[in-house]
Amino acid sequence: MTEYTADVVIVGAGGAGMRAAISAREAGADVLVIEKGTAGESGCTKNSASDWMAFGAAFGHADPADSPHEHWIDILIKGALVAQPELARRIAYEAPHRLLDLERWGASFDKKDGEFVQILSDGARFPRACGKGAETGSEIMRALKTRAEEVGVRILERVMAADLLLSDNRVAGLWGIGLEDGKLIGVIAPAVIVATGGAGALYSLNVFPDGMTGDGVAMAYRAGARLVNMEFIQIGPCIVHPVKFALSGVFWRMKPRLINGDGREFLRRRVPPDINLEEALRLKGVSFPFSVRNDSMYVDVAVFEEITSGVPGPHGGVFLDITHNSKADIETKARVPFEHLLAQGVDIRKEAVEFAPCIQHFNGGILIKPDASTDVPGLFACGEAAGGQHGADRPGGNALADSQVYGAVAGAEAARYARSFQKRSCPVGALVERSIRAIQSIPSPSGCDWTGLLERVQSQMWRQVSVIRTEKGLSEAASCLQIAMGQLANARPSEMRTYLELRNLLQVGQAVVTAARLRAESRGTHYRADYPRRDDGNWVKQITLKYTGRTPDTETTRVEIPPEVAEGLRTGVLRMD
Ligand SMILES: Cc1cc2nc3c(=O)[nH]c(=O)nc-3n(C[C@H](O)[C@H](O)[C@H](O)COP(=O)(O)OP(=O)(O)OC[C@H]3O[C@@H](n4cnc5c(N)ncnc54)[C@H](O)[C@@H]3O)c2cc1C
């Protein structure tokens, strides 16, 4: 085993992890980043397959009436009142500073006359989204990587963190495996920051890059950190073949024809007769993720039902066709996606695209406090792996803002924690040995179909735990996960990476399903067809989950609504839809 030491070790070199590394290093800590793929290249920040990637920051350049306060209100309202107000406040007030950091380190965002070009994104009342078209994520990662090199961040690539090491109920470091050579590594560090992003691979249809298996969330959960808001997942219409690509509002504004696998239009037939279809499509154009907050939900539900109980296309989607628009209109009005897709061999002037509701972002994750610390001393979390800062839905652009705000907070706080922590020598070998012995004691017989098992879980999660949820479907998904967990407890894949990823996905899946079953109402991205109404009397609450090794322990905690938000909703100045 190769051993390393650091003051702060960070798992994940995406947007949040790299931002955390810079902050921790600037605060004087010796920092080591562990990355499963390639720093600056892996993860969602770099690989968000969409035509416009938004970073929400209330500069007020497009509308001087905007402010961090208004941004904060939007997070709470679009979050359907279950974002933690103090966590959301930091995103709103600190996002502009973090965007300026990125610009200072070389990222370029669209500007006009020295001011940021800011557009209106889903769930925002003011034009607030900054960006650089499809290149926003690349710009961010390029700047972060340059800065991380300047300040001397150490990075280990192609190493997968496997589990945290604990000593005296505190974090003592972590162990992992080299993905090239299979060798073990052990890191001794008083502070660990989890920045591993979301668990897109839990679902058969997702728009995440490969390898996003919820590792950090599961590691923290096993170590005793609570998870929160796990039932809230952003699911949006995305091309499923031949490329993964999120369908932005422009596609819906071009009056698309939605066609099933038999070549027949189905929308009118599937949408309830009392719903104004034109209005639902208009709303879909400004509401990327599925949400019960407005009638755009009927479009997503119709698509989901056509796929699950109608006639799907060959890749599990249905078709969106805008070819009845003139070529000139497509080339100009849909210029960015048109050019992007054409470069990948898809000509939307001539052909329909196969799409489906795909998992795009996890709103919940490891429960953090405003200083990004968790229930476990020495453990911090940020970015998509963290939870509580978003609610049942989130304004477009808030995940990137979150990654930079809480990345910076986590780095600075972890460095401070590490400084105050008395350095001790730690028996890393013994700790790793104990953690790995339990895994090695599981037999690894040949002939088990682990790929088949994973595919069954992914398909079950998409069918029962995505757009439409019911007690019946959720209990079937829970049984499927339970059976898979039982199999994995008695036999394991011979390849360690496969075992670790499968275990992580099953544990995260169990947390999602448990929370979704408990929340007997519909709110934001969580639609229970058997409880279709939002129930503010009982459910302005966050669900937290604690790992037990069996069904998680759950707790519900009421979220205190700030008086100005409650008053705004009472007088109608603020509206939930
Ligand atoms: C198609 C699409 C479009 C999006 N559009 C927007 C948008 O317009 N605006 C917005 O705000 N958000 C958007 N998002 C969401 C946003 O991109 C993500 O939430 C955000 O980038 C997450 O940043 P992160 O640093 O937390 O995680 P990531 O950038 O995903 O990085 C996580 C890193 O952790 C590494 N890792 C994982 N497990 C391990 C392990 N065990 N050991 C070591 N390393 C590990 C991964 O390889 C990866 O590099 C979009 C997402 C998608 C998929």
Side-chain angles (χ1 to χ4, degrees):
M1 183 176 72
T2 314
E3 290 182 26
Y4 297 86
T5 56
D7 297 324
V8 177
V9 59
I10 295 163
V11 190
M18 291 295 268
R19 187 61 185 84
I22 292 165
S23 267
R25 190 75 196 102
E26 286 177 341
D30 177 20
V31 177
L32 180 67
V33 178
I34 306 281
E35 168 55 49
K36 202 175 178 180
T38 307
E41 298 300 325
S42 306
C44 285
T45 314
K46 173 68 197 284
N47 298 291
S48 297
S50 65
D51 55 7
W52 170 262
M53 228 190 150
F55 187 123
F59 289 105
H61 287 178
D63 183 343
D66 195 18
S67 68
H69 181 77
E70 300 298 348
H71 188 179
W72 180 56
I73 302 276
D74 282 352
I75 301 174
L76 302 184
I77 295 289
K78 177 100 197 250
L81 307 179
V82 290
Q84 216 282 318
E86 286 316 303
L87 291 173
R89 189 196 295 275
R90 280 202 93 145
I91 296 181
Y93 280 77
E94 295 174 27
H97 303 290
R98 299 295 76 87
L99 190 100
L100 291 175
D101 289 345
L102 291 167
E103 197 184 35
R104 215 174 48 245
W105 299 333
S108 155
F109 301 104
D110 290 337
K111 278 188 146 175
K112 195 164 179 241
D113 302 330
E115 299 209 313
F116 290 108
V117 174
Q118 300 200 274
I119 63 164
L120 200 61
S121 68
D122 302 355
R125 288 165 304 139
F126 298 91
R128 184 182 295 137
C130 303
K132 183 91 178 165
E135 300 306 315
T136 310
S138 303
E139 285 296 313
I140 291 174
M141 289 315 302
R142 189 171 53 77
L144 290 173
K145 204 163 171 223
T146 306
R147 180 65 183 162
E149 277 164 13
E150 271 169 21
V151 296
V153 169
R154 288 182 293 152
I155 303 179
L156 285 182
E157 294 179 329
R158 303 283 300 145
V159 172
M160 176 184 177
D163 246 328
L164 294 167
L165 300 174
L166 300 176
S167 172
D168 299 332
N169 297 319
R170 295 172 171 278
V171 160
L174 57 79
W175 70 272
I177 46 167
L179 297 180
E180 308 282 356
D181 55 13
K183 287 201 177 128
L184 290 182
I185 67 138
V187 185
I188 286 300
V192 173
I193 301 175
V194 169
T196 48
L202 186 54
Y203 287 82
S204 51
L205 294 175
N206 70 74
V207 72
F208 279 62
D210 291 342
M212 301 299 290
T213 45
D215 302 342
V217 173
M219 274 165 53
Y221 184 43
R222 283 193 295 274
R226 280 171 299 166
L227 307 185
V228 67
N229 280 349
M230 291 302 286
E231 66 276 35
F232 301 122
I233 295 172
Q234 310 284 119
I235 305 165
C238 302
I239 299 178
V240 291
H241 183 82
V243 289
K244 283 184 176 183
F245 191 75
L247 291 173
S248 60
V250 65
F251 286 90
W252 302 99
R253 289 192 284 277
M254 300 198 88
K255 309 234 178 306
R257 294 169 60 226
L258 299 193
I259 298 164
N260 69 11
D262 271 349
R264 291 216 309 271
E265 285 194 50
F266 60 86
L267 204 51
R268 183 67 280 171
R269 176 165 49 86
R270 292 253 174 219
V271 169
D274 56 327
I275 297 300
N276 179 336
L277 185 54
E278 231 167 71
E279 177 61 3
L281 279 169
R282 187 193 68 76
L283 288 167
K284 190 68 219 151
V286 291
S287 319
F288 169 73
F290 168 69
S291 171
V292 298
R293 69 197 279 267
N294 63 36
D295 282 355
S296 69
M297 70 174 277
Y298 293 105
V299 177
D300 298 283
V301 167
V303 169
F304 184 78
E305 286 181 333
E306 187 60 35
I307 293 172
T308 50
S309 54
V311 187
H315 304 97
V318 287
F319 296 92
L320 178 141
D321 186 357
I322 56 169
T323 57
H324 51 282
N325 290 271
S326 74
K327 285 189 175 158
D329 266 3
I330 294 174
E331 286 163 13
T332 50
K333 291 185 185 154
R335 186 181 61 79
V336 180
F338 162 67
E339 287 174 0
H340 183 91
L341 289 169
L342 194 62
Q344 315 226 21
V346 180
D347 188 345
I348 54 175
R349 294 170 305 186
K350 296 187 183 148
E351 56 186 311
V353 288
E354 190 172 352
F355 82 105
C358 290
I359 306 307
Q360 186 244 5
H361 177 263
F362 284 68
N363 286 351
I366 306 159
L367 176 66
I368 54 166
K369 303 184 186 86
D371 64 357
S373 65
T374 69
D375 294 331
V376 181
L379 180 64
F380 298 78
C382 55
E384 197 170 330
Q389 71 281 38
H390 308 296
D393 193 352
R394 64 169 173 82
N398 259 41
L400 285 182
D402 166 38
S403 74
Q404 296 309 290
V405 167
Y406 278 103
V409 171
E413 293 293 336
R416 200 157 65 89
Y417 174 88
R419 252 199 322 275
S420 70
F421 188 80
Q422 202 98 81
K423 279 217 170 76
R424 298 167 307 165
S425 66
C426 194
V428 62
L431 290 175
V432 174
E433 169 71 25
R434 200 170 59 203
S435 180
I436 211 164
R437 201 182 311 131
I439 298 175
Q440 282 168 339
S441 67
I442 305 169
S444 86
S446 58
C448 297
D449 180 11
W450 298 110
T451 309
L453 181 135
L454 175 60
E455 283 173 359
R456 274 196 300 286
V457 168
Q458 290 169 323
S459 162
Q460 191 77 246
M461 288 297 293
W462 188 80
R463 287 182 165 266
Q464 314 285 23
V465 200
S466 65
V467 175
I468 301 180
R469 299 168 174 184
T470 60
E471 173 52 28
K472 182 171 175 294
L474 291 168
S475 69
E476 281 170 22
S479 305
C480 171
L481 287 163
Q482 199 64 49
I483 291 167
M485 282 171 147
Q487 278 178 257
L488 203 61
N490 294 316
R492 69 176 166 87
S494 53
E495 205 206 359
M496 183 63 96
R497 175 180 185 165
T498 310
Y499 169 77
L500 294 170
E501 291 187 340
L502 196 47
R503 180 177 67 162
N504 293 338
L505 284 172
L506 296 179
Q507 289 173 352
V508 173
Q510 192 186 45
V512 171
V513 172
T514 304
R517 283 181 88 174
L518 187 56
R519 186 173 286 279
E521 62 142 7
S522 293
R523 181 177 298 268
T525 56
H526 170 73
Y527 172 47
R528 285 284 303 257
D530 44 358
Y531 296 96
R533 306 247 165 279
R534 202 181 72 229
D535 177 1
D536 281 351
N538 291 305
W539 278 109
V540 180
K541 287 178 182 162
Q542 290 186 332
I543 297 173
T544 53
L545 302 114
K546 197 156 172 65
Y547 180 75
T548 63
R550 297 177 305 282
T551 307
D553 283 345
T554 56
E555 215 176 277
T556 56
T557 315
R558 190 149 197 96
V559 180
E560 291 305 325
I561 309 303
E564 60 265 56
V565 174
E567 180 63 7
L569 287 170
R570 196 186 60 73
T571 57
V573 171
L574 297 172
R575 291 163 51 97
M576 293 295 292
D577 58 355

